[in-house]
Amino acid sequence: MATGRPHRPATRSRGIPEATVARLPLYLRALTALSERSVPTVSSEELAGAAGVNSAKLRKDFSYLGSYGTRGVGYDVEYLVYQISRELGLTQDWPVVIVGIGNLGAALANYGGFASRGFRVAALIDADPGMTGRPVAGIAVQYIDELETIIEDNGVSIGVIATPAGAAQQVCDRLVEAGVTSILNFAPTVLSVPEGVDVRKVDLSIELQILAFHEQRKAGEASPPAAPASIPSGPGAPAGAVVRGRDDAEVRAEARAGRDGDPGDDLPAVMPA
Amino acid sequence: MATGRPHRPATRSRGIPEATVARLPLYLRALTALSERSVPTVSSEELAGAAGVNSAKLRKDFSYLGSYGTRGVGYDVEYLVYQISRELGLTQDWPVVIVGIGNLGAALANYGGFASRGFRVAALIDADPGMTGRPVAGIAVQYIDELETIIEDNGVSIGVIATPAGAAQQVCDRLVEAGVTSILNFAPTVLSVPEGVDVRKVDLSIELQILAFHEQRKAGEASPPAAPASIPSGPGAPAGAVVRGRDDAEVRAEARAGRDGDPGDDLPAVMPA
DNA sequence: TTCTGTGAACACGTTCACAGCG
DNA sequence: CGCTGTGAACGTGTTCACAGAA
């Protein structure tokens, strides 16, 4: 999950619940698949199955969009695809820039689901001069000095940050300053942005840690790691304990003032052959 | 955000709320940074700021772990790092395999936050024979035939799927069959797994779509795309409308029976120099 | 009848506000 | 006094169950 958005105003008149918005892309994907197979209609049960949710939730979700189904029959696939696309704003074209063309940036640039659905990669930007001009996914990488020009010339409002953690806040500031109002952040840092700018975060290591938590529970079903109210040894006791975290990428927050590039760190550049 | 877990049993005795678990890695990162700067104690206010949450939430979260703070003072940084690490199960070593070594798989293999925090990349696996033996992040890629052997020999319980969508379910089935009980899925597909297996999903394009939704709202503040209860034109009307989705990666669910490789699709392989 | 759409009940998560410890 | 820990209030999200359209 991604978090980090500034907190939506309490008065959400006429609005669709966040949880529902987050599921619309799921429905859209399932519907698109049905559409490709020329399936004309689908029941809430079937569609829910394909999207990996339960049917009650799906119906509730759709009820926020309006009454697009037919009782006793189901939903018209094409019509729903259109309605959801429109609701998500995918009927218009969204130019995006990707900053930080390491392996991850390259993966994003090549990602099919990115290029379709109304998202157009307007530019790839990297702080390493050695990357400049190099084609990735058929697009020549541009030097970071061009950032402001690119944003303004293309009317970019969505930026993707795939830089090392240390560069993320600076890149973010420049994006926002240049007019970007939505940011998808892959760097393991908390970004601070002014009011009105949305940030969504995708953190690879956090997801793994959550899995580890549950995995641990499975293993020692009888003996969970228990946090007893009676603390055996007071604070400071296990000082240099088993805790790892050395050479850790995201702990580089201190020297955030440095250069704006520093590629090949936690999210290293594409291997240069 | 990631979804798809089977739904936690209603009786969560002695358990930590999911929402809290999802934030623990955030706190841990902030604490690790403080620890590196040799900060001895931190208040809920400060730590919350560093982690990007509010202090009430943080205190509530910590209250589920036990009473690890000191009133009037704050929390002992080292001690908290240890407690959270232990709670998340990061004091033990988790061997993981990454299946699908395209750009994304390579990015994951190189990712610092992966290698630290107790996660050890036990193997990189790809279905492309051309990748076999090639070193990525210092580890030789192994052919997919070795999958079961690798899992069993290394006691791997966590698998990462970074294959194209079409291969994901098959890879998932093989992982589960071989003994993996936690899966982090980057492929844009809904995976079906037996009871007891956890799946977390990271979907790059879904995050963008959610951003687009909010971005759209900002633009036309006065005129949201409105879903009026009175439908202007009935189902089937905008049949071949503005909806895009052609050449879309995730719509390849039909031919899921094919070979188990198919690299270079939506998540293409590392450019071979 | 079948299946949608939705109020009402419930579960979960967040915030408030303050008691109480150091 | 400062700050944690936590009950209680509140808001959001999910599930239930059924009325009612086709």
Side-chain angles (χ1 to χ4, degrees):
Chain A
M1 123 211 66
T3 53
R5 281 198 315 97
H7 198 67
R8 203 121 266 274
T11 45
R12 199 201 57 215
S13 58
R14 200 62 222 112
I16 299 170
E18 268 302 308
T20 296
V21 172
R23 280 188 294 267
L24 290 182
L26 243 57
Y27 303 142
L28 184 55
R29 172 181 302 156
L31 284 164
T32 308
L34 291 171
S35 172
E36 301 254 321
R37 293 200 283 134
S38 301
V39 176
T41 59
V42 66
S43 71
S44 63
E45 200 76 47
E46 290 170 310
L47 184 53
V53 304
N54 70 52
S55 62
K57 200 183 288 186
L58 178 141
R59 289 201 303 278
K60 192 58 139 190
D61 284 343
F62 285 0
S63 79
Y64 294 117
L65 309 184
S67 295
Y68 294 150
T70 307
R71 291 171 199 234
V73 178
Y75 300 93
D76 182 277
V77 171
E78 292 299 327
Y79 189 57
L80 245 192
V81 166
Y82 170 72
Q83 291 300 344
I84 294 178
S85 294
R86 194 176 54 102
E87 199 64 56
L88 285 171
L90 304 181
T91 49
Q92 58 186 282
D93 188 77
W94 294 105
V96 305
V97 295
I98 301 174
V99 187
I101 313 303
N103 269 317
L104 181 57
L108 297 175
N110 279 294
Y111 179 49
F114 249 61
S116 60
R117 300 236 188 287
F119 299 105
R120 180 171 50 82
V121 178
L124 305 177
I125 302 175
D126 201 283
D128 177 7
M131 287 293 292
T132 307
R134 188 190 291 240
V136 172
I139 302 169
V141 174
Q142 294 181 265
Y143 189 57
I144 193 146
D145 282 2
E146 311 291 329
L147 190 144
E148 285 78 9
T149 315
I150 294 165
I151 304 278
E152 282 150 33
D153 290 359
N154 293 275
V156 173
S157 55
I158 301 179
V160 178
I161 297 179
T163 66
Q169 183 64 58
Q170 284 176 47
V171 167
C172 174
D173 292 345
R174 288 181 67 177
L175 287 172
V176 170
E177 180 63 30
V180 165
T181 45
S182 289
I183 290 174
L184 183 51
N185 179 33
F186 287 88
T189 327
V190 177
L191 293 179
S192 60
V193 292
E195 181 80 7
V197 176
D198 275 353
V199 176
R200 289 192 71 85
K201 184 180 40 149
V202 175
D203 194 312
L204 315 176
S205 92
I206 282 182
E207 298 301 326
L208 261 201
Q209 292 177 55
I210 296 171
L211 278 182
F213 173 86
H214 293 300
E215 193 59 39
Q216 175 180 241
R217 296 280 148 135
K218 291 180 203 164
E221 198 72 332
S223 59
S230 54
I231 306 164
S233 50
V242 207
V243 184
R244 50 207 103 235
R246 238 43 50 193
D247 79 31
D248 205 351
E250 55 257 50
V251 192
R252 229 147 304 193
E254 6 80 48
R256 229 219 263 119
R259 305 134 44 228
D260 50 355
D262 198 19
D265 191 9
D266 25 346
L267 304 173
V270 184
M271 41 210 61
Chain B
M1 180 217 82
T3 53
R5 280 199 315 95
H7 197 66
R8 200 122 267 275
T11 45
R12 200 199 57 216
S13 59
R14 202 57 225 117
I16 299 170
E18 267 302 310
T20 296
V21 172
R23 281 189 293 268
L24 291 182
L26 244 56
Y27 302 143
L28 184 56
R29 172 182 301 156
L31 284 164
T32 308
L34 291 171
S35 172
E36 301 253 321
R37 293 199 284 134
S38 300
V39 176
T41 60
V42 66
S43 71
S44 63
E45 200 76 47
E46 290 170 308
L47 184 52
V53 302
N54 71 52
S55 62
K57 200 183 289 187
L58 178 141
R59 289 201 303 279
K60 192 57 138 189
D61 284 343
F62 285 0
S63 80
Y64 295 117
L65 308 184
S67 295
Y68 294 150
T70 308
R71 292 169 198 237
V73 178
Y75 300 92
D76 181 276
V77 171
E78 293 299 328
Y79 188 57
L80 245 193
V81 166
Y82 170 73
Q83 291 298 346
I84 294 177
S85 294
R86 195 177 52 102
E87 198 64 56
L88 284 171
L90 305 181
T91 50
Q92 58 187 282
D93 187 77
W94 293 106
V96 305
V97 295
I98 302 175
V99 186
I101 313 303
N103 269 317
L104 180 56
L108 297 175
N110 279 292
Y111 178 49
F114 248 62
S116 60
R117 299 235 189 289
F119 299 105
R120 180 171 49 82
V121 179
L124 306 178
I125 302 174
D126 200 283
D128 178 7
M131 288 293 293
T132 307
R134 189 189 290 240
V136 172
I139 301 169
V141 174
Q142 294 181 266
Y143 189 58
I144 193 147
D145 282 2
E146 311 291 330
L147 190 144
E148 286 76 11
T149 314
I150 295 166
I151 304 279
E152 282 150 34
D153 290 358
N154 293 274
V156 173
S157 55
I158 301 179
V160 178
I161 297 178
T163 66
Q169 183 64 58
Q170 284 177 45
V171 167
C172 174
D173 292 344
R174 289 182 65 176
L175 287 172
V176 169
E177 180 63 29
V180 165
T181 45
S182 289
I183 289 174
L184 182 51
N185 179 31
F186 286 89
T189 325
V190 176
L191 293 179
S192 60
V193 293
E195 181 80 6
V197 176
D198 275 353
V199 176
R200 290 192 69 84
K201 184 181 41 153
V202 175
D203 194 312
L204 315 176
S205 92
I206 282 182
E207 298 300 326
L208 261 201
Q209 291 177 55
I210 297 171
L211 278 181
F213 173 85
H214 294 301
E215 193 59 38
Q216 176 180 239
R217 296 280 148 135
K218 291 179 201 163
E221 198 71 334
S223 58
S230 53
I231 306 165
S233 51
V242 208
V243 184
R244 53 206 102 236
R246 237 43 49 191
D247 78 32
D248 204 350
E250 54 257 51
V251 192
R252 228 146 307 189
E254 7 79 50
R256 227 216 265 118
R259 305 131 47 226
D260 49 356
D262 198 19
D265 191 9
D266 26 343
L267 303 173
V270 185
M271 41 210 65

